[in-house]
Amino acid sequence: MGKTYERIEGRLRSFIEDQPMFFTATAPLSGDGTINLSPKGLRGSWAVLDTHTVAYLDFAGSNAETIAHLRENGRITLMWCAFAGPPNIVRVHGHGEPVFRDDPRWAQLAGHFPDIDTTVHGLRAIIVVRADLIRDTCGYAVPFMTYDTDRDLHARRFAREDDASLSDYFAGKEHVARSIDGLPGLPLPLPPTPAP
């Protein structure tokens, strides 16, 4: 039923790009550390950069587990499910890194997300994932669900923040600068948002 792919291309790439959401899974190296699983939405906030690389925008939130785990060990799995149309699940197992605002690659990477107004979401990092293993499976038990539209709550909440107030917001959250397990998370204060 499952198939392994050498590259992200053709219908596999189209499937990834067409989904309204996906999931990320990471874990610390410690055997008793906290495993993290996060849903990611907002159409247009992820992109296939090449046949082995996927990236997504990491927006403001109340923790930074994915960033902390990637900074420690880089391991990550991304998963897309078909909630409409033919059943399918695609997983990209790989190694990722958070690219922060002061990284020289920032502007070039941000250019892959032309449909997202990054100024209203508190963009704090761009996660770049290099695939080690690309697989799909049947998804026969995944339910049909309809996609209506993206929620606007995130943009409405974080549009009022500037770089300084966003840094203050993150500093006030227990698990942003440090993960639940105490790993280094988001570097604070945030570097300023680069000019477009």
Side-chain angles (χ1 to χ4, degrees):
M1 288 219 205
K3 182 177 177 184
T4 300
Y5 296 85
E6 293 294 320
R7 291 171 293 284
I8 304 169
E9 59 188 3
R11 73 168 184 83
L12 193 66
R13 179 177 183 148
S14 296
F15 176 80
I16 287 172
E17 292 175 337
D18 289 345
Q19 300 315 303
M21 68 175 298
F22 70 103
F23 300 87
T24 69
T26 58
L29 291 176
S30 170
D32 61 355
T34 306
I35 297 169
N36 187 64
L37 176 64
S38 294
K40 303 293 179 182
L42 193 57
R43 277 189 189 263
S45 65
W46 55 93
V48 178
L49 305 188
D50 62 41
T51 58
H52 290 92
T53 313
V54 178
Y56 69 89
L57 302 176
D58 183 76
F59 298 121
S62 56
N63 65 46
E65 296 303 298
T66 300
I67 286 174
H69 296 160
L70 292 179
R71 290 182 71 190
E72 185 204 35
N73 62 66
R75 298 175 305 160
I76 188 169
T77 297
L78 308 177
M79 183 182 78
W80 291 264
C81 297
F83 295 113
N88 194 19
I89 299 170
V90 172
R91 289 179 181 88
V92 172
H93 306 266
H95 283 78
E97 66 169 315
V99 174
F100 300 115
R101 296 172 173 184
D102 55 354
D103 190 295
R105 297 171 292 171
W106 181 271
Q108 184 268 333
L109 287 169
H112 288 280
F113 309 94
D115 298 331
I116 300 294
D117 180 356
T118 58
T119 64
V120 298
H121 288 283
L123 181 61
R124 59 190 188 178
I126 301 172
I127 307 298
V128 179
V129 178
R130 181 82 177 161
D132 297 325
L133 177 65
I134 306 158
R135 288 189 47 82
D136 71 358
T137 52
C138 67
Y140 289 170
V142 175
F144 283 109
M145 291 191 284
T146 59
Y147 166 76
D148 297 324
T149 188
D150 288 327
R151 296 178 192 260
D152 67 352
L153 295 172
H154 195 275
R156 288 189 353 221
R157 163 60 186 90
F158 289 100
R160 63 182 183 244
E161 305 287 355
D162 60 18
D163 287 346
S165 66
L166 193 60
S167 276
D168 290 344
Y169 169 81
F170 290 141
K173 296 293 180 185
E174 185 179 3
H175 299 301
V176 172
R178 290 265 185 220
S179 75
I180 292 170
D181 301 313
L183 297 172
L186 187 68
L188 295 176
L190 285 177
T193 302

